[in-house]
Amino acid sequence: MQLREFLQHVNSGALIEGGSAHHEFMHDAAQEAFQITAELNSGYHDPDEVRDLLGRLTGRPVDDSVTVFPPFHSEFGKNLHLGKDVFINLGCRFQDTGGITIGDGTLIGHGSTLTTLNHAIDPDRRADMSPSPVLIGRHVWLGAGVTVLPGVSIGDGAIVGAGSVVTKDVPADTVVAGVPARTIRATGYDTTASA
């Protein structure tokens, strides 16, 4: 199986059946991601070297405006899309097999986790996984230790309070917080006006 075929499969939301060719491809691809992130997380790398390693991880160039503070972990890498001026603080964990897109100017607080796969509820099928992408808009701020669950979209300009677990979509220009995250108030800024 080739990467393109696998990405078409997961990006369509199709099931990754335990023990299938897609499942095996995912596990093999993880080994490459682990090698790259191990290099990224060992020793000091200047910002250009970090971006070069992220480019190897994602399979595409990473804009010079992107900043990532290691350690950083990703179990796949090739379904991670970073906009311009993205900042990812230390200790973040991205499970991007199902697809993660982060919009321009977004800040990800340290220790945050973005997940894109759900396991089957049936114990006999628990190895099966359903991919659902995480979409984070422009100028979003995720506080420290935020967890975003599969299939969640966070609108432009939204703020997610530290320690929150985001289980459903967050409208643009909204502040949410808590476990599960709930709307606190509007941000008071209209990011659509500057789009």
Side-chain angles (χ1 to χ4, degrees), residues 29 33 103 137 180 194:
S194 63

Side-chain angles (χ1 to χ4, degrees), residues 6-136:
F6 179 81
L7 288 175
Q8 286 175 338
H9 182 84
V10 294
N11 291 340
S12 74
L15 186 71
I16 302 170
E17 293 186 39
S20 69
H22 291 99
H23 192 252
E24 183 179 337
F25 181 89
M26 181 184 71
H27 277 273
D28 289 345
Q31 299 311 306
E32 179 185 356
F34 296 154
Q35 288 175 343
I36 295 168
T37 56
E39 186 177 346
L40 174 66
N41 297 328
S42 63
Y44 172 76
H45 299 283
D46 70 35
D48 288 333
E49 292 171 326
V50 170
R51 281 187 289 274
D52 287 345
L53 287 162
L54 289 171
R56 282 179 41 207
L57 179 68
T58 63
R60 68 188 68 80
V62 172
D63 193 82
D64 288 345
S65 62
V66 170
T67 301
V68 174
F69 285 176
F72 174 78
H73 299 279
S74 168
E75 100 307 357
F76 188 68
K78 300 299 190 272
N79 214 0
L80 173 59
H81 307 273
L82 302 173
K84 295 179 179 179
D85 296 312
V86 167
F87 174 73
I88 301 170
N89 214 329
L90 55 89
C92 289
R93 297 170 303 275
F94 289 7
Q95 181 196 50
D96 69 291
T97 300
I100 294 174
T101 300
I102 300 174
D104 296 347
T106 287
L107 310 175
I108 309 289
H110 65 274
S112 291
T113 301
L114 310 182
T115 63
T116 64
L117 297 174
N118 273 320
H119 288 275
I121 294 172
D122 178 352
D124 293 332
R125 302 296 311 172
R126 193 64 45 88
D128 292 352
M129 289 171 273
S130 300
S132 294
V134 167
L135 305 173
I136 299 178

